Amino acid sequence: MKFVRFGPAGREKVGCIDARGELRDLSSAVADLNLPTLGQSGLRKLARLKPEDFPKVKGRPRQGVPFTGISKLVGIGLNYRDHAIEAGMAIPAEPIVFMKATSCISGPQDPVLRPAGSAKLDWEVELGVVIGKTARSVSLEKALDHVAGYCVVNDVSERSFQLERGGTWDKGKGCDSFGPIGPWLVTRDEVPDPQSLALWLDVNGEQRQRGNTATMIFGVAEIVSYLSRFMTLLPGDVICTGTPPGVGAGMKPEPKFLQDGDVMTLGIAGLGEQRLKVQPT
């Protein structure tokens, strides 16, 4: 099933996308899509609901983050070989792990806010892996059993903060609005192979990123298993699994970064699309 939350920020209702691509209002049956509360068993019960039994939503309401209860937003860096090459960095022997502050999380249509002092604001379309069952030192073979579903994430990055200010990458990854998630949470049963999904991102209608999760260095199962050795993954946690080539910092003959008023459109096959406009803080 494809779950959504729609409506004004802080007052979202739960909905789903039916077989015709239309938004249905599930709020009469579901108060909120809180994954720590629901977990995988709760999602399975919700998946038995029949979308046609619920009213269609008129118009084009704002879409929010499709679920709540995110305790961690974990990033994986340089997980596509071509992206590592365009960044001029070594191919990692193990997953590169960083954290994005949960305060950066925003909806798939909300503005991306340029922070004060920003000079190199960049884009990164990524497959988001949503945890549905507590994962602690899980094996590779059982890793996907702990996944609730998948979503689109834009790992918005400020490169000068990330790479030129010393310390870890986190400073360039966690500013407000740097973690748009959604529009949908697509349950795992609808994504039989997370390693065969096409990703794309355009800026102002011009092609920037094209890729496929088949070319990941570390696949979804390996990432979940790996991370679970170093931290407990909880229901609702989101893993950003890396981005394909085509980011602004890697453009030739010179880098190109986001400016106020620019519009990013991005998506992943079967997981929906985001539309994000850059504006000053």
Side-chain angles (χ1 to χ4, degrees):
M1 192 171 247
K2 299 178 175 70
F3 291 107
V4 302
R5 292 169 68 252
F6 65 95
R11 293 187 286 124
E12 293 93 344
K13 295 180 179 181
V14 178
C16 71
I17 304 299
D18 67 17
R20 298 172 63 102
E22 296 182 296
L23 175 60
R24 300 278 183 158
D25 184 349
L26 299 182
S27 60
S28 62
V30 190
D32 200 3
L33 201 61
N34 184 298
L35 288 191
T37 300
L38 288 170
Q40 287 179 313
S41 61
L43 283 178
R44 284 194 291 268
K45 291 178 182 177
L46 293 183
R48 291 197 283 270
L49 297 175
K50 296 180 179 179
E52 60 270 21
D53 292 340
F54 296 87
K56 296 179 183 179
V57 177
K58 297 179 180 178
R60 299 177 65 87
R62 169 190 173 270
Q63 293 185 330
V65 180
F67 53 93
T68 63
I70 303 171
S71 76
K72 290 189 289 297
L73 185 55
V74 186
I76 304 297
L78 304 178
N79 196 29
Y80 289 72
R81 184 174 299 272
D82 289 350
H83 174 53
I85 292 171
E86 75 174 352
M89 297 183 179
I91 305 300
E94 294 190 30
I96 295 173
V97 180
F98 62 90
M99 307 297 287
K100 290 177 73 76
T102 53
S103 54
C104 83
I105 294 170
S106 58
Q109 301 166 340
D110 295 340
V112 169
L113 305 175
R114 176 192 295 280
S118 169
K120 299 180 179 180
L121 191 63
D122 209 344
W123 55 83
E124 294 191 17
V125 60
E126 307 204 3
L127 172 65
V129 178
V130 184
I131 299 299
K133 182 171 68 173
T134 299
R136 185 183 297 111
S137 297
V138 300
S139 67
L140 179 65
E141 294 74 20
K142 295 183 178 180
L144 293 185
D145 295 341
H146 295 74
V147 173
Y150 303 93
C151 60
V152 180
V153 178
N154 189 351
D155 176 21
V156 181
S157 305
E158 213 303 328
R159 302 302 186 189
S160 62
F161 294 1
Q162 176 189 356
L163 302 172
E164 301 170 15
R165 301 289 292 271
T168 65
W169 288 2
D170 299 33
K171 292 194 292 291
K173 296 287 190 174
C175 299
D176 290 354
S177 78
F178 276 23
I181 295 175
W184 309 332
L185 167 62
V186 181
T187 51
R188 184 163 58 95
D189 60 292
E190 293 204 16
V191 186
D193 183 6
Q195 304 306 148
S196 63
L197 302 174
L199 306 84
W200 62 273
L201 183 145
D202 296 342
V203 178
N204 300 328
E206 297 181 1
Q207 178 176 320
R208 291 292 185 262
Q209 291 185 277
R210 295 294 185 273
N212 194 291
T213 57
T215 64
M216 283 181 177
I217 298 170
F218 308 104
V220 170
E222 187 172 1
I223 289 169
V224 172
S225 176
Y226 182 87
L227 288 176
S228 74
R229 303 176 208 165
F230 303 101
M231 64 187 78
T232 299
L233 300 171
L234 302 173
D237 287 351
V238 179
I239 305 167
C240 312
T241 56
T243 199
V247 300
M251 293 188 69
K252 302 293 188 292
E254 61 183 27
K256 183 178 290 188
F257 297 108
L258 293 164
Q259 306 300 320
D260 293 346
D262 284 348
V263 175
M264 293 174 282
T265 50
L266 59 143
I268 300 177
L271 304 186
E273 300 180 5
Q274 298 185 0
R275 185 182 187 278
L276 306 157
K277 187 173 184 178
V278 179
Q279 67 182 48
T281 302

